[in-house]
Amino acid sequence: MDLSVARKRMVAQLVKRGITDQRVIDAMQQIPRHLFVEEAMAAQAYSDTPLPIGEKQTISQPYTVALMTQMLQLTGKERVLELGTGSGYQAAVLATLAGWVYTVERIRPLALKARKVLDGLRLLNVNLRIGDGTDGWPEEAPFDAILVTAGAPSVPDCLIDQLAPGGRMVIPVGDKVDQQLVLVKKGHDGSIEREDSEGCRFVRLIGRHGWSEH
């Protein structure tokens, strides 16, 4: 199977489904998604579906990655915090669109695998650490954008605190099964505006400011 053709098809589907930000479209075309899944699943990498990546985690479907990224409205110079590195694919997309990416993963084997792929792609503007992502990365705050790639019971206050004035955060909020994408905008005066977007299904955001592991 010609994976470059599959990638073009994937991007064409994203455009059909309403992805309009040309920078996001270009990034999705550029990043080789098949490198972020198991080799046996490479042929499925460009289908618009989530795939297992081990450790009971998944790589989000391409449309969800594109939509959440588009909601951040990145222009190229931002410092972005991502919670839930997983395979590293979302971080790779962000790295092509922003100045710096800070990404946190609580599961060590996933973090190490993601780091290896990101380094292989020479995405050197990604800082990755292992830990409780629900705490954010306070010593590197504030961030112009925050992206949470797991479902939270609510929007953690500590993440709002780490968002820069004028910044945007996208986070799935809901119960353990179904969530809704929420866009949080912080005004330059510190005011907070919240907009609900599409329904979605993510693995649970585990940690001090999310769900408990059990």
Side-chain angles (χ1 to χ4, degrees):
M1 184 182 182
D2 187 338
L3 295 176
S4 64
V5 171
R7 189 151 71 241
K8 277 181 187 155
R9 244 187 244 129
M10 175 193 81
V11 170
Q13 279 299 115
L14 297 177
V15 173
K16 267 188 195 168
R17 289 194 65 181
I19 301 301
T20 56
D21 185 325
Q22 191 58 50
R23 295 184 75 245
V24 173
I25 292 164
D26 292 345
M28 299 291 284
Q29 179 61 57
Q30 183 184 331
I31 299 296
R33 183 176 160 89
H34 63 276
L35 297 183
F36 294 89
V37 300
E38 296 298 332
E39 212 174 319
M41 288 190 168
Q44 301 170 55
Y46 297 103
S47 304
D48 198 19
T49 183
L51 294 170
I53 56 170
E55 309 288 338
K56 298 181 181 171
Q57 303 299 303
T58 58
I59 181 173
S60 296
Q61 71 184 99
Y63 173 70
T64 303
V65 172
L67 176 63
M68 292 176 79
T69 307
Q70 179 168 273
M71 288 168 74
L72 292 177
Q73 296 185 356
L74 300 173
T75 61
K77 293 180 181 173
E78 294 88 354
R79 288 159 46 83
V80 182
L81 172 65
E82 180 201 26
L83 306 182
T85 315
S87 69
Y89 177 67
Q90 175 73 78
V93 171
L94 292 171
T96 67
L97 296 169
W100 287 96
V101 177
Y102 297 81
T103 182
V104 187
E105 173 55 56
R106 69 186 182 88
I107 302 170
R108 187 177 186 83
L110 290 183
L112 296 177
K113 204 186 281 188
R115 178 80 269 172
K116 195 173 175 186
V117 181
L118 292 165
D119 286 350
L121 291 171
R122 306 289 297 159
L123 293 169
L124 305 179
N125 59 336
V126 180
N127 297 289
L128 190 157
R129 82 171 181 188
I130 299 162
D132 182 352
T134 68
D135 288 329
W137 199 323
E139 58 271 37
E140 291 293 347
F143 298 98
D144 305 300
I146 298 176
L147 186 64
V148 182
T149 65
S154 60
V155 181
D157 287 339
C158 65
L159 298 186
I160 291 174
D161 292 344
Q162 291 175 45
L163 196 59
R168 300 163 78 87
M169 168 166 44
V170 177
I171 177 170
V173 177
D175 59 32
K176 292 178 182 179
V177 180
D178 294 298
Q179 304 92 32
Q180 196 162 25
L181 287 181
V182 174
L183 173 63
V184 177
K185 295 193 255 187
K186 185 183 266 193
H188 289 283
D189 59 355
S191 60
I192 299 299
E193 195 182 315
R194 173 180 165 148
E195 292 174 16
D196 291 346
S197 182
E198 298 190 12
C200 55
R201 280 188 172 190
F202 280 84
V203 296
R204 288 175 301 146
L205 181 69
I206 305 288
R208 198 149 60 106
H209 305 286
W211 298 101
S212 65
E213 199 155 356
H214 306 292

